[in-house]
Amino acid sequence: MKTQVLTSAFHFKRVTPDGLVQVFNENSYLMALYNPSTGVSSWQRVVLATQKVTVERWLEEHYRVKSATAKA
């Protein structure tokens, strides 16, 4: 899967095409998991609140799941 970068501090990698998104820091530590089907982020490590908000907003914008009603 292709890795995407928000800033030099964080990069993202989708585990499977429709699955979880992993959030890594600049040292390649797993920081969080994002489930695009629920929109929930599960943080594994402590980050600054401003970084958390920025990352979660970016994830919601770039890994948005198309709802079943939108297809109908």
Side-chain angles (χ1 to χ4, degrees), residues 27-59:
N27 295 322
S28 296
Y29 288 115
L30 179 63
M31 301 301 288
L33 294 171
Y34 174 72
N35 186 336
S37 63
T38 62
V40 175
S41 298
S42 174
W43 288 87
Q44 311 298 310
R45 296 182 184 260
V46 176
V47 297
L48 295 173
T50 54
Q51 290 178 325
K52 183 177 177 182
V53 169
T54 302
V55 167
E56 289 179 346
R57 188 174 299 140
W58 190 92
L59 286 165

Side-chain angles (χ1 to χ4, degrees), residues 14 18 34-39 60 62-68 70:
R14 201 178 262 255
D18 294 328
Y34 174 72
N35 186 336
S37 63
T38 62
E60 290 171 0
H62 289 85
Y63 291 103
R64 189 176 309 161
V65 173
K66 295 174 177 53
S67 65

Side-chain angles (χ1 to χ4, degrees), residues 5-11 24-28 51:
V5 177
L6 171 62
T7 66
S8 61
F10 294 99
H11 58 278
F24 297 94
N25 70 0
E26 66 274 5
N27 295 322
S28 296
Q51 290 178 325

